[in-house]
Coordinates of all heavy atoms in Angstrom, one line a residue:
M17 N 72.8 47.8 233.7 CA 71.8 47.7 234.8 C 71.4 49.1 235.2 O 72.3 50.0 235.3 CB 72.5 47.1 236.0 CG 72.9 45.7 235.8 SD 71.6 44.5 236.1 CE 71.7 44.2 237.8
K18 N 70.1 49.3 235.4 CA 69.7 50.6 235.8 C 68.5 50.5 236.7 O 67.8 49.5 236.7 CB 69.4 51.5 234.7 CG 68.1 51.1 233.8 CD 67.7 52.3 232.9 CE 66.3 52.1 232.3 NZ 65.9 53.2 231.5
W19 N 68.3 51.4 237.6 CA 67.2 51.3 238.5 C 65.9 51.7 237.8 O 65.8 52.5 236.9 CB 67.4 52.4 239.6 CG 68.5 52.0 240.5 CD1 69.8 52.6 240.4 CD2 68.6 51.1 241.5 NE1 70.6 52.0 241.5 CE2 69.9 51.1 242.1 CE3 67.7 50.2 242.1 CZ2 70.3 50.3 243.2 CZ3 68.1 49.3 243.1 CH2 69.3 49.4 243.7
I20 N 64.9 50.9 238.2 CA 63.5 51.2 237.7 C 63.0 52.5 238.4 O 63.2 52.6 239.6 CB 62.5 50.1 237.9 CG1 63.1 48.8 237.3 CG2 61.2 50.5 237.4 CD1 62.1 47.6 237.5
L21 N 62.6 53.4 237.6 CA 62.0 54.6 238.3 C 60.5 54.4 238.4 O 59.8 53.8 237.6 CB 62.2 55.8 237.4 CG 63.7 56.3 237.2 CD1 63.8 57.5 236.3 CD2 64.4 56.5 238.5
C22 N 60.0 54.9 239.5 CA 58.6 54.8 239.8 C 57.8 55.6 238.7 O 58.0 56.7 238.5 CB 58.2 55.3 241.2 SG 56.5 55.5 241.5
P23 N 56.8 54.9 238.1 CA 56.1 55.6 237.0 C 55.2 56.7 237.6 O 54.6 57.6 236.9 CB 55.3 54.5 236.4 CG 55.2 53.4 237.3 CD 56.4 53.5 238.2
V24 N 54.9 56.7 238.9 CA 54.1 57.7 239.5 C 54.8 58.9 239.9 O 54.5 60.0 239.6 CB 53.3 57.1 240.7 CG1 52.5 58.1 241.4 CG2 52.5 55.8 240.3
C25 N 55.9 58.7 240.6 CA 56.7 59.9 241.2 C 58.1 60.0 240.7 O 58.8 60.9 241.0 CB 56.7 59.8 242.7 SG 57.7 58.4 243.3
N26 N 58.5 59.1 239.8 CA 59.8 59.1 239.2 C 60.9 58.9 240.2 O 62.1 59.2 240.0 CB 60.1 60.4 238.4 CG 59.4 60.3 237.1 OD1 59.4 59.2 236.4 ND2 58.9 61.4 236.6
H27 N 60.6 58.4 241.4 CA 61.6 58.1 242.4 C 62.3 56.8 242.1 O 61.6 55.9 241.6 CB 61.0 58.1 243.8 CG 61.9 58.2 244.9 ND1 62.4 57.1 245.5 CD2 62.5 59.2 245.5 CE1 63.2 57.4 246.5 NE2 63.4 58.7 246.5
K28 N 63.5 56.7 242.5 CA 64.2 55.4 242.2 C 63.5 54.3 243.2 O 63.4 54.5 244.4 CB 65.7 55.5 242.6 CG 66.6 55.1 241.5 CD 68.0 55.4 241.7 CE 68.6 55.6 243.0 NZ 70.1 55.8 243.1
T29 N 63.3 53.2 242.6 CA 62.8 52.0 243.4 C 64.0 51.1 243.7 O 65.1 51.5 243.4 CB 61.8 51.3 242.6 OG1 62.3 50.7 241.4 CG2 60.6 52.1 242.2
R30 N 63.7 50.1 244.4 CA 64.8 49.1 244.7 C 65.0 48.0 243.7 O 65.6 47.0 243.9 CB 64.5 48.6 246.1 CG 64.4 49.7 247.2 CD 64.6 49.1 248.5 NE 64.6 50.2 249.5 CZ 63.5 50.4 250.3 NH1 62.5 49.6 250.3 NH2 63.6 51.4 251.2
N31 N 64.4 48.1 242.5 CA 64.5 47.1 241.5 C 65.3 47.6 240.4 O 65.2 48.7 239.9 CB 63.1 46.7 241.0 CG 62.2 46.1 242.1 OD1 61.6 46.8 242.9 ND2 62.3 44.8 242.2
K32 N 66.2 46.7 239.9 CA 67.0 47.0 238.8 C 66.6 46.2 237.6 O 66.1 45.1 237.7 CB 68.5 46.6 239.1 CG 69.2 47.7 239.8 CD 70.7 47.2 240.0 CE 71.4 48.2 240.8 NZ 72.7 47.6 241.2
I33 N 66.9 46.8 236.4 CA 66.7 46.0 235.2 C 67.9 46.1 234.3 O 68.6 47.1 234.4 CB 65.4 46.6 234.3 CG1 65.5 48.1 234.2 CG2 64.1 46.1 235.0 CD1 64.5 48.6 233.3
R34 N 68.0 45.1 233.5 CA 69.1 45.1 232.5 C 68.5 45.7 231.2 O 67.3 45.8 231.0 CB 69.6 43.7 232.2 CG 70.5 43.2 233.3 CD 70.5 41.7 233.2 NE 70.6 41.2 231.9 CZ 71.7 40.8 231.3 NH1 72.8 40.6 232.1 NH2 71.8 40.3 230.1
H35 N 69.3 45.9 230.2 CA 68.8 46.4 228.9 C 67.9 45.4 228.2 O 67.1 45.8 227.4 CB 70.0 46.9 228.0 CG 70.8 45.7 227.5 ND1 71.7 45.0 228.3 CD2 70.8 45.1 226.3 CE1 72.3 44.0 227.5 NE2 71.7 44.0 226.3
D36 N 68.1 44.1 228.6 CA 67.3 43.1 227.9 C 66.3 42.4 228.9 O 65.8 41.4 228.6 CB 68.3 42.0 227.3 CG 69.1 41.4 228.4 OD1 69.2 41.8 229.5 OD2 69.8 40.4 228.0
T37 N 66.0 43.1 229.9 CA 65.1 42.6 230.9 C 63.7 42.7 230.3 O 63.3 43.8 229.8 CB 65.1 43.4 232.2 OG1 66.4 43.1 232.8 CG2 64.1 42.9 233.2
I38 N 62.9 41.7 230.5 CA 61.5 41.8 230.1 C 60.6 41.4 231.3 O 60.8 40.4 231.9 CB 61.1 40.8 228.9 CG1 61.9 41.3 227.7 CG2 59.6 40.7 228.7 CD1 61.7 40.3 226.5
L39 N 59.7 42.3 231.7 CA 58.8 42.1 232.7 C 57.4 42.2 232.3 O 57.1 43.1 231.5 CB 59.1 43.0 234.0 CG 60.4 42.8 234.7 CD1 60.5 44.0 235.7 CD2 60.4 41.5 235.5
E40 N 56.5 41.4 232.8 CA 55.1 41.5 232.4 C 54.3 41.4 233.7 O 54.4 40.5 234.5 CB 54.8 40.3 231.5 CG 53.5 40.4 230.7 CD 53.7 41.4 229.6 OE1 54.7 41.4 228.8 OE2 52.8 42.3 229.5
N41 N 53.4 42.4 233.8 CA 52.6 42.4 235.1 C 53.4 42.4 236.3 O 53.1 41.6 237.2 CB 51.5 41.4 235.1 CG 50.5 41.5 233.9 OD1 50.2 42.7 233.6 ND2 50.1 40.5 233.3
F42 N 54.4 43.2 236.4 CA 55.4 43.1 237.5 C 54.9 44.2 238.6 O 54.8 45.3 238.3 CB 56.8 43.5 237.1 CG 57.8 43.5 238.2 CD1 58.2 42.2 238.8 CD2 58.2 44.6 238.8 CE1 59.1 42.2 239.8 CE2 59.2 44.6 239.8 CZ 59.6 43.4 240.3
P43 N 54.6 43.7 239.8 CA 54.2 44.6 240.9 C 55.4 45.4 241.4 O 56.2 44.9 242.2 CB 53.5 43.7 241.9 CG 54.0 42.4 241.6 CD 54.6 42.3 240.3
L44 N 55.6 46.6 241.0 CA 56.7 47.4 241.4 C 56.4 48.2 242.6 O 55.4 48.9 242.6 CB 57.1 48.3 240.2 CG 58.2 49.4 240.5 CD1 59.5 48.7 240.5 CD2 58.2 50.5 239.5
F45 N 57.2 48.0 243.7 CA 57.0 48.7 244.9 C 57.8 49.9 245.0 O 59.0 49.9 244.7 CB 57.2 47.8 246.1 CG 57.0 48.5 247.4 CD1 55.7 48.7 247.9 CD2 58.0 49.0 248.1 CE1 55.5 49.4 249.0 CE2 57.9 49.7 249.4 CZ 56.6 49.9 249.8
C46 N 57.2 51.1 245.2 CA 58.0 52.3 245.3 C 58.1 52.7 246.8 O 57.1 52.8 247.5 CB 57.2 53.4 244.6 SG 57.9 55.1 244.8
P47 N 59.3 52.8 247.3 CA 59.5 53.2 248.7 C 59.1 54.6 249.0 O 58.9 54.9 250.2 CB 61.1 53.0 248.9 CG 61.7 53.1 247.5 CD 60.6 52.7 246.5
K48 N 58.9 55.4 248.0 CA 58.5 56.8 248.3 C 56.9 56.9 248.3 O 56.4 57.4 249.3 CB 59.0 57.7 247.2 CG 58.7 59.1 247.4 CD 59.9 60.0 247.1 CE 59.6 61.5 247.5 NZ 59.4 62.4 246.4
C49 N 56.3 56.3 247.3 CA 54.8 56.3 247.4 C 54.3 55.3 248.4 O 53.2 55.4 248.8 CB 54.2 55.9 246.0 SG 54.8 56.9 244.6
K50 N 55.1 54.3 248.6 CA 54.7 53.2 249.5 C 53.5 52.4 248.9 O 52.6 52.1 249.6 CB 54.5 53.6 250.9 CG 55.7 54.0 251.6 CD 55.5 54.2 253.1 CE 56.7 54.3 253.9 NZ 57.6 55.5 253.4
Q51 N 53.5 52.3 247.6 CA 52.5 51.5 246.9 C 53.0 50.8 245.8 O 54.0 51.1 245.2 CB 51.3 52.4 246.5 CG 51.7 53.5 245.6 CD 50.4 54.4 245.3 OE1 49.3 53.9 245.3 NE2 50.7 55.6 245.0
E52 N 52.2 49.8 245.4 CA 52.6 49.0 244.3 C 51.9 49.5 243.0 O 50.7 49.8 243.0 CB 52.2 47.5 244.6 CG 53.3 46.7 245.2 CD 52.8 45.3 245.4 OE1 51.8 44.9 244.9 OE2 53.5 44.6 246.2
T53 N 52.7 49.5 241.9 CA 52.0 49.7 240.6 C 52.4 48.6 239.7 O 53.5 48.0 239.7 CB 52.6 51.0 240.0 OG1 53.9 51.1 240.2 CG2 51.9 52.2 240.7
L54 N 51.5 48.2 238.9 CA 51.7 47.1 237.9 C 52.5 47.7 236.7 O 52.0 48.6 236.1 CB 50.4 46.5 237.5 CG 50.0 45.2 238.2 CD1 48.8 44.6 237.5 CD2 51.0 44.2 238.4
I55 N 53.6 47.1 236.4 CA 54.3 47.7 235.2 C 54.7 46.5 234.3 O 54.6 45.4 234.7 CB 55.6 48.4 235.6 CG1 56.5 47.5 236.4 CG2 55.3 49.6 236.5 CD1 58.0 47.9 236.4
R56 N 55.1 46.9 233.1 CA 55.8 46.0 232.2 C 57.0 46.6 231.7 O 57.1 47.9 231.6 CB 54.8 45.5 231.1 CG 54.8 46.5 230.0 CD 54.3 45.8 228.7 NE 53.2 44.9 228.8 CZ 52.0 45.0 228.1 NH1 51.9 46.0 227.2 NH2 51.1 44.2 228.2
V57 N 58.0 45.8 231.5 CA 59.3 46.3 231.1 C 59.7 45.7 229.8 O 59.7 44.4 229.7 CB 60.4 46.2 232.2 CG1 61.8 46.6 231.6 CG2 60.1 47.0 233.4
K58 N 60.1 46.4 228.8 CA 60.5 45.9 227.6 C 61.5 46.9 226.9 O 61.3 48.1 226.9 CB 59.2 45.8 226.6 CG 59.3 44.6 225.7 CD 58.0 44.6 224.9 CE 57.7 43.3 224.3 NZ 56.5 43.3 223.5
K59 N 62.6 46.3 226.5 CA 63.7 47.1 225.9 C 64.1 48.2 226.8 O 64.2 49.4 226.4 CB 63.3 47.6 224.5 CG 63.2 46.4 223.5 CD 62.7 47.0 222.2 CE 62.5 45.8 221.3 NZ 61.8 46.2 220.0
S60 N 64.1 48.0 228.1 CA 64.5 48.9 229.2 C 63.6 50.1 229.3 O 63.9 51.1 229.9 CB 66.0 49.3 229.1 OG 66.1 50.3 228.0
K61 N 62.4 49.9 228.7 CA 61.4 50.9 228.9 C 60.3 50.5 229.9 O 59.9 49.3 229.8 CB 60.7 51.3 227.6 CG 61.4 52.3 226.8 CD 60.7 52.8 225.5 CE 59.5 53.6 225.9 NZ 58.8 54.2 224.6
V62 N 59.9 51.3 230.8 CA 59.0 51.0 231.9 C 57.6 51.5 231.5 O 57.4 52.7 231.2 CB 59.4 51.6 233.2 CG1 58.3 51.2 234.3 CG2 60.7 51.0 233.7
I63 N 56.7 50.6 231.4 CA 55.4 51.0 230.9 C 54.4 50.7 232.1 O 54.3 49.5 232.6 CB 54.9 50.2 229.6 CG1 55.9 50.4 228.5 CG2 53.5 50.6 229.2 CD1 56.0 49.3 227.5
L64 N 53.6 51.7 232.4 CA 52.7 51.5 233.5 C 51.5 50.7 233.0 O 50.8 51.1 232.0 CB 52.2 52.9 234.0 CG 51.3 53.0 235.2 CD1 51.9 52.4 236.4 CD2 51.0 54.4 235.4
M65 N 51.1 49.7 233.7 CA 49.9 48.8 233.3 C 48.6 49.4 233.8 O 47.6 49.5 233.1 CB 50.1 47.4 233.9 CG 51.3 46.7 233.4 SD 51.2 46.2 231.8 CE 49.9 44.9 232.0
E66 N 48.6 49.8 235.0 CA 47.4 50.4 235.6 C 47.8 51.5 236.7 O 48.8 51.3 237.4 CB 46.5 49.4 236.2 CG 47.1 48.7 237.5 CD 46.1 47.8 238.1 OE1 45.3 47.2 237.3 OE2 46.2 47.6 239.3
E67 N 47.0 52.5 236.7 CA 47.3 53.6 237.7 C 46.6 53.2 238.9 O 45.6 52.6 239.0 CB 46.8 54.9 237.1 CG 47.7 55.4 235.9 CD 47.0 56.6 235.3 OE1 46.6 57.4 236.1 OE2 47.1 56.7 234.1
P68 N 47.3 53.5 240.1 CA 46.8 53.1 241.4 C 45.4 53.6 241.7 O 44.7 52.8 242.3 CB 47.9 53.6 242.3 CG 48.7 54.6 241.6 CD 48.6 54.2 240.2
D69 N 45.1 54.7 241.3 CA 43.8 55.3 241.7 C 42.9 55.5 240.5 O 41.9 56.1 240.6 CB 43.9 56.7 242.4 CG 44.7 56.5 243.7 OD1 44.3 55.6 244.5 OD2 45.6 57.2 244.0
A70 N 43.2 54.8 239.4 CA 42.4 54.9 238.2 C 41.1 54.1 238.4 O 41.1 52.9 238.7 CB 43.1 54.5 237.0
K71 N 40.0 54.7 238.2 CA 38.8 54.0 238.2 C 38.0 54.2 236.8 O 37.0 54.7 236.8 CB 37.9 54.4 239.3 CG 38.4 53.9 240.7 CD 37.5 54.4 241.8 CE 38.1 53.9 243.2 NZ 37.4 54.4 244.3
T72 N 38.7 53.9 235.8 CA 38.1 54.1 234.5 C 37.2 53.0 234.1 O 37.5 51.8 234.3 CB 39.2 54.3 233.4 OG1 40.1 53.2 233.6 CG2 39.9 55.6 233.6
Q73 N 36.1 53.4 233.5 CA 35.2 52.3 233.1 C 35.0 52.4 231.6 O 34.0 51.8 231.1 CB 33.8 52.4 233.9 CG 34.0 52.1 235.3 CD 32.6 52.2 236.0 OE1 31.7 52.9 235.5 NE2 32.5 51.6 237.2
S74 N 35.8 53.2 231.0 CA 35.7 53.4 229.6 C 36.1 52.2 228.8 O 37.1 51.5 229.2 CB 36.4 54.6 229.1 OG 37.8 54.4 229.5
Q75 N 35.5 51.9 227.7 CA 35.9 50.8 226.9 C 35.5 51.0 225.5 O 34.4 51.4 225.2 CB 35.3 49.5 227.4 CG 36.0 48.3 226.8 CD 35.7 47.0 227.5 OE1 34.7 46.9 228.3 NE2 36.5 46.0 227.3
Ligands
ZN123 ZN1 56.6 56.5 243.6

């Protein structure tokens, strides 16, 4: 078990994952940023789905 780190500020969040945890489109709340970021977790790696202030229209 390990704590999920906020992908924005790298602060510890209140969510834990196991080495085999799989999350998809998980709204991770960071107590430091006080905002939610959408993440996915696979093989204990946290991948940021979308950045909170990203307004990209590229495709
Ligand atoms: Zn944060």
Side-chain angles (χ1 to χ4, degrees):
M17 300 275 271
K18 70 167 192 176
W19 292 100
I20 305 180
L21 296 182
C22 170
V24 178
C25 68
N26 280 324
H27 196 265
K28 233 174 17 178
T29 64
R30 299 196 177 109
N31 296 86
K32 273 182 186 170
I33 49 170
R34 287 159 43 103
H35 70 280
D36 58 353
T37 297
I38 294 174
L39 290 172
E40 199 71 50
N41 294 325
F42 180 76
L44 175 75
F45 180 77
C46 171
K48 184 139 188 249
C49 304
K50 292 192 166 57
Q51 60 182 330
E52 271 181 9
T53 45
L54 266 189
I55 60 158
R56 84 159 41 132
V57 173
K58 216 176 193 179
K59 292 175 184 168
S60 76
K61 273 185 75 174
V62 178
I63 302 154
L64 184 61
M65 299 285 293
E66 68 176 28
E67 291 174 38
D69 292 314
K71 285 178 183 172
T72 48
Q73 292 183 338
S74 57
Q75 195 165 18

